[in-house]
Each structure stands twice: as structure tokens, then as C-alpha cells.
């Protein structure tokens, strides 16, 4: 989704902005642009499509400018086009603005400004910000921005410059991330720390309703009441930000292959074997409340929603909690009765998903305990929650989530283990779970060593246009996640279903051209899945089964099988999803799809 990168200092700004835009590409976008100021004049270039087309347009530029702002846009208001790309500008081309998020009352403001004589050129909501700043400007950019913000409703991250104000960049955050990068006599702002990683490891994460003013010699941060704030500078480990495919053809494949390490990072230092329990420093401040909690609601979106669904089964298995899982976009508008006896757990790779953030804010208003499982350190969700656990899985660049999903499942298990041990789980059971978790990295290595065989199967199935994925209990969400992986990167229609629901609809679709992927590993519902597979076979449907090594009955019915090692049923989804990730990847690759940046999708969805 939209990305912002800004720089003020002594170096040539265009290469820095272009490098930043390329690092933000993975978020998903449809147009890009930049504005720099040199000798009191704005130079702006925008382009529809890839950052490389913007680069081509800049190939003749001899600009020596040393401050400017840039943006990748993912259309919300107005089609992807050069005119609608950011930066947006006012009537006199002096103010330039880039913006992530949505201005909800932009039409109202636009009408007012048109009455005052402003002329608009784009269909964007962002353009009103530029005109408002122009309207309020009397030599002081900071004041003009502050005054303009008062008028805006919605969520935004904004950066503004003015060609009469040398080297000054004003940025504001409300609901959409802004991070300040601190260098030696140079300052950066970006919507994502990945863009800043090559330049500095000192970063400040703005909170909502904070403004940062940067120029080439100093920076300061204020609240919107104009009071200067002291903010903590975070030292970010820049090694984990390498945007390098490390020899893999795509980031997605690299990330699939990183899972033995990311799983290990999720549990390293977080288990006490001798006591059969987990130790999660991030939850310690709230552990007494957690122990006595009666209800847990897990909220999340996309792939994180599916890990939350498996989380529900895990918590039910290991704790006394009543658990619900809900997509955040629904949760935020429900009339739920929440209070201090309810914990709301947000799961988010990015830590910035707008719906998850809004749902959490709603839960906070009602007094619930807020928890998070987040990969993006210092992002908006961990700033809002009372306590939480980081994935520490490094950045995930491929839009389709893989390594974070399995890492989320490990962390959910660790949290359930921690609470479960206070709620009556035995030492032996705790120890058994720990032993099984510790084996996961090697078991994943074993599955990955079969990638070639999985590729062959994927190529065989790449001729079909529709797929059904079925699973039960812990693996019902696995079926949905497998189907999501396939549809998002290969654009093939795929549906994930609870196998028990087959007879209530999907079975009517089955014929020799509509294959099924059945998740049929060893658990208490294996026999039931076998019956569903028989029903599919009876209707000439092809079946690819994910099953355990040596599972004879499944082998007999399925046309093809991919065998995975055995683990506890509650951890089995972690292993079962790996072949499904590879299966989707190889089919999408065979079809020549843009795997890391599928059409219309964004890595970090910062608008509702
Ligand atoms: C987008 C991404 C998905 C992700 C979802 C939720 O749709 O493309 O991969 O699962 O957002 O994102 P989050 O960062 O909250 O986990």
C-alpha cells in the first residue's frame, strides 16, 4: 500500500528518494512520484505504473537538489494515473504533499476551497491537503500544516514541503505510520523503516497526532497542541532489513525457505523446559490479569486471520478460556459487550493494518485488555496494546504471507501454553508441547527438501482453473490459508472449506476438472476426511492430499499425496501449510505471475 520517503540534508536527494521508493515497492502500488526543491523552485515528476518508469523519466535529470519527498500510491480516491499520483500540489506549485490514508471529509473541504478560488486538478482526497496548506501559509510551514490538520477527518500520514521554505519537511501522523530516521546532519521520514535501513539505524516512531519538523541541521517533534515532545530514539538492527533475495528467484520462495529459522526465532529463549512452560517477557506486566481472564477475542485480517482461527482451537485445547476469532473489519462495527475481563489479541505482520488498529481502539474504549502478536517492531499496534509478543522474523517482503504465518502459530501456542499452565495443564503435557515445538525446524527442513517433488505435482495441477481445499478442526483454517495462497498469487479460483460443509454446497462443483486439495493428517477427524475424499472420488474429482508419512488409507484414495512429518495435532497446521505454500508458488511461477507483488494487493493495508 502507499509508501512515503522524505530526505533533507546535504546529499543529492533524488537517488535517495528513488532507492527508498524501490524499498517500498513490496507494499504494493500503482503509481509513484517525487518533488524536490532546488534554488527555491519545485521540480516534480510522477508516473503511472512501476517505480522503474519514474526512474526512466528522471534519467535526463541533472538536479542537484538536497531535499524532497516521494511516494508510491495505491489508488483509493481516483484511478491510478499521473495526475492522481503524489505529490499533490496547490495552485501555485509551491506546496507539495504526499499522503497515506484517507481524508474522509475531503469533499466538504474541497467545496469550501473552490469557493475561495482554488482550482483542483486531480480526483484525490490528498489534493485538498496541499490547497489547505497553501491557504493557511504565511511564511511558516509548520503553522500552516498545524492549522490545516485541524480541518481533516480520517487516517493519515502526511509529509509537506514548500519551495519558499528551504530544507524544511513537516510530517504528521494520525493512524498511518510515520518513522523518522536520524543521520548526521541529515534527516529522513518514511512510512516504513525498510526504506530507511541503508541510511541509519536510529529511528523514532511517531504516535498518533504527533508532528515532526525536519531540516538539514535539526529535528523536533511536537504534539498538535504545539508542545515539543521528548521521544525515544530506537536503535534498529539494520541487518534484518536486507532486501536481498539471497539467490532465490522470488522473496516469497526465500521466505518459505527461511521458516526453520523464523520458527526457531519465535521460540528461542521463550521456553523453560524444566518447568514445562513458556516465558514471554512481553506479557509479564499483565500476567496476573491474563491468568484470571475468562474470555479471549482474537482479531486480525488476511493470513493473520487464519492463524487467529487456528489460535482459537489451540487456546481451547490448552486453556480454560472462551475464545472467539473475528476478522477485524467486522469486529470494529459489532456491538460487542467488552470489559476488563476480556482480552483482545491482535495478530498482525505489519503492525499497521488499519482495520486491526481501529478494532483495537474500539476494544480499548470498552476497557478490554489489549494484546498483540506483531512482527513490525515499534509499529502502531504494539504502541497501542498493553502487552504483546514480537515475531522477530525479519521483514516479509513477498505480499503473500508465509513465514510470519507459521511464526504466529508458534507464538499463539506459546501464549496458550503459558496461560494453560496456570489453568490446570500438567507439567507432562507442557513438556510434550515444548518437545514438539523444538522439533519443528528440522521437520520443516525435511519438507523443504522435497521441494522438487512438490514442484512436479504443482506443475501437473497447474492446468486447472478451480480448486477446492478442505480440512477439519485445526486444519480447516489451513484449507482456507492454502486456498488464499493459491488465489492471491496465481489468480486461480480456490475456495477453502470445512470438509463437513462439503455436502452443503461445494460438492455440486466437483467433476474431473475441479480438483480438491485435502488436508488429511492424523488426528481425531481423519476418518471423517477420508469419507469426504471418497465422496469426491465417486464424482470423478481429482484429489491431492497432504498427509503424514506412512498414512496408507489416504494414499489409497488420493491421486497424489505430499507427506509431511507427524507432530501434535495442534502443531500439525505449521507443517501442513508448507507444501501448500510451495504448491501455490510453483503454480504461480509456471503461469508467469508477478509473485512478490500480485495485482491489486498490498503488503500493508493502511486504509479501511
Ligand atoms: C494484506 C497482506 C496479507 C496480510 C494481511 C493482514 O492483505 O497482503 O499478506 O495477511 O494484509 O496484514 P497484517 O500485517 O495485519 O498481518
Amino acid at each position: 500500500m502507499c509508501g512515503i520517503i522524505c530526505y533533507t540534508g546535504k546529499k543529492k536527494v533524488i537517488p535517495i528518494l528513488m532507492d527508498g521508493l524501490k524499498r517500498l515497492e513490496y507494499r504494493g502500488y500503482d503509481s509513484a512520484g517525487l518533488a524536490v526543491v532546488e534554488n527555491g523552485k519545485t521540480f516534480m515528476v510522477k508516473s503511472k505504473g512501476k517505480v522503474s518508469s519514474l526512474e526512466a523519466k528522471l534519467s535526463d535529470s541533472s538536479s542537484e537538489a538536497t531535499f524532497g519527498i516521494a511516494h508510491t500510491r495505491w489508488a483509493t480516491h481516483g484511478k491510478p494515473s499521473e495526475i492522481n499520483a503524489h505529490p499533490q500540489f496547490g495552485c501555485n506549485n509551491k506546496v507539495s504533499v504526499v499522503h497515506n490514508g484517507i481524508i474522509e471529509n475531503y469533499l466538504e473541504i474541497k467545496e469550501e476551497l473552490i469557493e475561495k478560488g482554488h482550482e483542483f486538478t486531480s480526483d484525490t482526497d490528498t489534493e485538498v491537503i496541499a490547497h489547505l496548506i497553501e491557504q493557511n501559509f504565511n511564511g511558516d510551514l509548520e503553522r500552516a500544516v498545524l492549522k490545516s490538520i485541524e480541518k481533516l477527518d480520517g487516517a493519515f500520514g502526511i509529509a509537506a514541503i514548500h519551495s519558499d521554505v528551504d530544507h524544511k519537511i513537516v510530517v504528521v501522523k494520525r493512524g498511518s505510520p510515520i518513522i523518522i530516521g536520524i543521520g548526521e546532519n541529515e534527516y529522513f521520514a518514511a512510512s516504513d523503516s525498510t526504506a530507511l535501513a541503508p541510511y541509519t539505524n536510529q529511528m523514532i516512531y511517531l504516535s498518533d497526532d504527533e508532528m515532526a519538523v525536519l531540516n538539514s541541521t535539526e529535528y523536533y517533534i511536537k504534539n498538535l497542541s504545539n508542545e515539543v515532545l521528548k521521544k525515544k530514539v530506537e536503535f534498529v538492527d539494520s541487518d534484518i532489513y536486507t532486501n536481498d533475495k539471497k539467490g532465490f528467484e522470488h522473496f516469497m520462495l526465500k521466505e518459505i525457505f527461511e521458516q526453520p529459522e523464523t520458527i526457531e526465532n519465535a521460540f528461542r529463549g521463550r521456553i523453560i523446559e524444566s518447568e514445562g512452560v513458556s516465558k514471554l517477557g512481553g506479557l509479564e506486566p499483565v500476567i496476573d490479569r491474563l491468568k484470571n481472564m475468562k474470555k479471549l477475542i482474537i482479531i486480525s485480517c488476511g493470513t493473520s486471520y487464519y492463524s487467529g482461527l487456528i489460535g482459537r482451537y489451540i487456546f481451547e485445547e490448552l486453556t480454560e478460556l472462551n475464545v472467539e476469532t473475528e476478522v477485524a473489519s467486522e469486529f470494529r462495527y459489532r456491538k460487542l459487550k467488552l470489559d476488563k475481563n476480556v482480552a483482545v489479541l491482535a495478530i498482525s505482520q505489519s503492525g499497521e493494518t488499519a482495520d486491526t488498529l481501529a478494532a483495537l481502539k474500539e476494544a480499548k474504549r470498552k476497557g478490554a485488555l489489549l494484546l498483540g502478536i506483531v512482527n513490525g517492531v515499534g509499529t502502531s499496534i504494539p504502541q497501542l496494546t498493553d502487552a504483546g509478543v514480537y515475531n522477530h522474523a525479519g521483514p516479509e517482503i513477498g505480499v503473500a504471507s508465509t513465514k510470519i504465518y507459521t511464526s504466529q502459530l508458534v507464538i499463539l501456542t506459546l501464549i496458550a501454553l503459558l496461560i494453560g499452565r496456570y489453568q490446570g495443564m500438567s507439567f507432562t503435557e507442557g513438556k510434550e508441547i515444548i518437545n514438539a515445538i523444538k522439533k519443528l525446524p528440522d521437520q520443516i527442513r525435511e519438507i523443504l527438501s522435497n521441494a522438487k517433488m512438490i514442484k512436479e505435482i504443482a506443475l501437473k495441477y497447474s492446468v486447472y482453473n478451480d480448486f477446492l481445499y478442505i480440512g477439519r478442526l485445526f486444519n480447516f483454517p489451513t484449507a482456507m490459508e492454502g486456498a488464499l495462497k493459491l488465489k492471491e498469487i496465481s489468480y486461480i479460483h480456490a475456495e477453502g472449506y470445512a470438509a463437513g460443509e462439503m455436502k452443503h454446497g461445494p460438492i455440486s462443483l466437483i467433476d474431473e476438472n475441479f480438483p480438491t486439495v485435502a488436508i488429511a493428517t492424523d488426528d481425531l477427524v481423519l476418518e471423517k476426511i477420508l469419507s469426504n475424499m471418497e465422496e469426491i472420488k465417486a464424482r470423478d474429482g481429482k484429489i491431492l492430499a497432504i498427509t503424514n508419512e506412512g498414512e496408507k488409507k489416504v494414499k489409497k484414495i488420493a491421486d497424489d499425496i505430499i507427506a509431511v512429518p507427524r507432530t501434535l495435532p495442534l502443531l500439525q497446521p505449521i507443517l501442513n501449510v508448507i507444501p501448500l505454500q510451495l504448491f501455490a508458488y510453483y503454480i504461480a511461477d509456471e503461469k508467469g505471475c508477478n509473485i512478490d507483488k500480485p495485482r491489486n494487493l498490498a503488503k500493508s493495508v493502511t486504509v479501511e
Side-chain angles (χ1 to χ4, degrees), residues 300-305 347-353 356 381 396 398-402 404 408 484-485 488 601-605:
S300 40
C301 303
T303 290
S304 299
Y305 169 61
I347 307 180
S348 175
Q349 186 287 124
S350 61
E352 300 292 355
T353 302
T356 311
I381 290 176
E396 190 178 62
V399 163
S401 181
T402 52
I404 303 299
Q408 287 167 345
L484 176 66
K485 284 288 87 73
E488 64 185 343
L601 295 180
K603 184 68 187 160
S604 178
V605 180

Side-chain angles (χ1 to χ4, degrees), residues 200-413:
T200 176
N201 64 350
Q202 295 181 49
M203 301 185 196
I204 296 176
Y205 293 83
L206 290 193
S207 298
D208 279 347
D209 288 329
E210 289 180 354
M211 172 172 95
V213 181
L214 320 174
N215 63 43
S216 50
T217 50
E218 60 161 1
Y219 77 94
Y220 48 89
I221 293 166
K222 289 180 163 180
N223 59 24
L224 299 188
S225 313
N226 213 8
E227 294 157 343
V228 176
L229 305 172
K230 265 205 141 154
K231 295 275 293 183
K232 190 167 158 230
V233 178
E234 309 270 354
F235 288 82
V236 177
D237 174 6
S238 52
D239 278 1
I240 63 169
Y241 285 109
T242 47
N243 271 18
D244 176 359
K245 291 192 201 126
K246 303 229 166 96
F248 287 93
E249 207 182 323
H250 294 97
F251 281 110
M252 182 178 172
L253 192 60
K254 169 183 165 249
E255 286 155 6
I256 292 173
F257 273 82
E258 275 171 0
Q259 287 175 108
E261 290 78 45
T262 49
I263 294 281
E264 204 145 348
N265 288 349
F267 70 76
R268 189 184 299 113
R270 289 173 165 170
I271 45 187
I272 311 177
E273 276 192 83
S274 57
E275 293 174 34
V277 72
S278 51
K279 178 181 162 42
L280 298 164
L283 294 186
E284 264 158 30
V286 299
I287 195 68
D288 287 331
R289 277 184 78 184
L290 264 184
K291 277 194 264 189
N292 302 312
M293 218 30 99
K294 294 278 171 291
K295 182 164 182 173
L296 173 73
I297 305 180
I298 304 175
I299 52 168
S300 40
C301 303
T303 290
S304 299
Y305 169 61
Y306 294 138
S307 73
L309 277 179
I310 297 180
R312 183 177 71 189
Y313 293 102
I314 297 175
F315 277 96
E316 280 171 359
E317 187 84 1
L318 304 184
T319 74
E320 298 296 312
L321 285 163
N322 265 317
V323 194
E324 274 179 40
T325 300
E326 171 108 84
V327 274
S329 53
E330 286 296 312
F331 176 93
R332 63 184 288 193
Y333 292 114
R334 277 180 67 194
K335 289 196 172 160
L336 277 170
K337 318 279 173 294
L338 303 178
D339 57 36
K340 62 178 179 19
N341 298 313
V342 180
V344 173
L345 168 62
I347 307 180
S348 175
Q349 186 287 124
S350 61
E352 300 292 355
T353 302
D355 280 319
T356 311
L357 203 52
L360 266 184
K361 285 181 184 162
E362 190 53 30
K364 190 184 175 97
R365 228 168 275 133
K366 293 180 172 162
L369 175 71
L370 306 191
L371 307 173
I373 298 177
V374 173
N375 190 45
V377 175
T379 52
S380 300
I381 290 176
Q383 286 193 43
L384 190 67
T385 48
D386 298 299
V389 184
Y390 281 120
N391 295 90
H392 294 309
E396 190 178 62
I397 305 289
V399 163
S401 181
T402 52
K403 65 175 180 174
I404 303 299
Y405 175 73
T406 48
S407 164
Q408 287 167 345
L409 292 176
V410 171
I411 291 174
L412 281 160
T413 313

Side-chain angles (χ1 to χ4, degrees), residues 483-502:
L484 176 66
K485 284 288 87 73
L486 184 65
K487 75 182 115 182
E488 64 185 343
I489 60 169
S490 73
Y491 318 136
I492 290 174
H493 166 234
E495 289 187 53
Y497 249 88
E501 281 289 288
M502 276 258 314

Side-chain angles (χ1 to χ4, degrees), residues 96-259:
S96 307
V97 170
V98 292
H99 159 226
N100 287 358
I102 289 178
I103 307 300
E104 284 161 6
N105 58 341
Y106 84 103
L107 280 175
E108 221 171 288
I109 303 175
K110 193 167 175 175
E111 273 168 30
E112 272 175 38
L113 288 165
I114 289 173
E115 264 175 38
K116 287 185 177 141
H118 286 261
E119 281 178 24
F120 283 76
T121 51
S122 80
D123 304 318
T124 64
D125 51 343
T126 307
E127 194 180 353
V128 300
I129 310 173
H131 286 274
L132 260 183
I133 296 176
E134 181 176 78
Q135 178 74 28
N136 291 322
F137 183 78
N138 62 1
D140 183 345
L141 179 62
E142 194 180 318
R143 204 183 139 274
V145 171
L146 263 182
K147 216 163 163 224
S148 305
I149 296 299
E150 283 171 15
K151 282 238 162 212
L152 305 179
D153 290 339
F156 45 80
I158 294 170
I161 55 174
H162 193 293
S163 54
D164 290 350
V165 186
D166 193 31
H167 277 92
K168 186 175 273 191
I169 302 173
V170 181
V171 292
V172 182
K173 171 185 186 311
R174 178 181 295 162
S176 193
I178 295 283
I179 297 144
I180 308 302
I182 301 167
E184 289 257 323
N185 289 326
E186 58 179 8
Y187 298 97
F188 306 79
S191 52
D192 183 327
S193 48
T194 317
L196 306 180
Y199 305 102
T200 176
N201 64 350
Q202 295 181 49
M203 301 185 196
I204 296 176
Y205 293 83
L206 290 193
S207 298
D208 279 347
D209 288 329
E210 289 180 354
M211 172 172 95
V213 181
L214 320 174
N215 63 43
S216 50
T217 50
E218 60 161 1
Y219 77 94
Y220 48 89
I221 293 166
K222 289 180 163 180
N223 59 24
L224 299 188
S225 313
N226 213 8
E227 294 157 343
V228 176
L229 305 172
K230 265 205 141 154
K231 295 275 293 183
K232 190 167 158 230
V233 178
E234 309 270 354
F235 288 82
V236 177
D237 174 6
S238 52
D239 278 1
I240 63 169
Y241 285 109
T242 47
N243 271 18
D244 176 359
K245 291 192 201 126
K246 303 229 166 96
F248 287 93
E249 207 182 323
H250 294 97
F251 281 110
M252 182 178 172
L253 192 60
K254 169 183 165 249
E255 286 155 6
I256 292 173
F257 273 82
E258 275 171 0
Q259 287 175 108

Side-chain angles (χ1 to χ4, degrees), residues 38-59:
E38 193 173 5
N39 304 323
K41 287 217 161 55
T42 305
F43 170 63
M44 191 176 294
V45 184
K46 307 200 274 188
S47 144
K48 190 178 159 198
K50 298 281 156 214
V51 169
S52 51
S53 30
L54 183 70
E55 197 165 35
K57 279 190 166 179
L58 283 162
S59 57

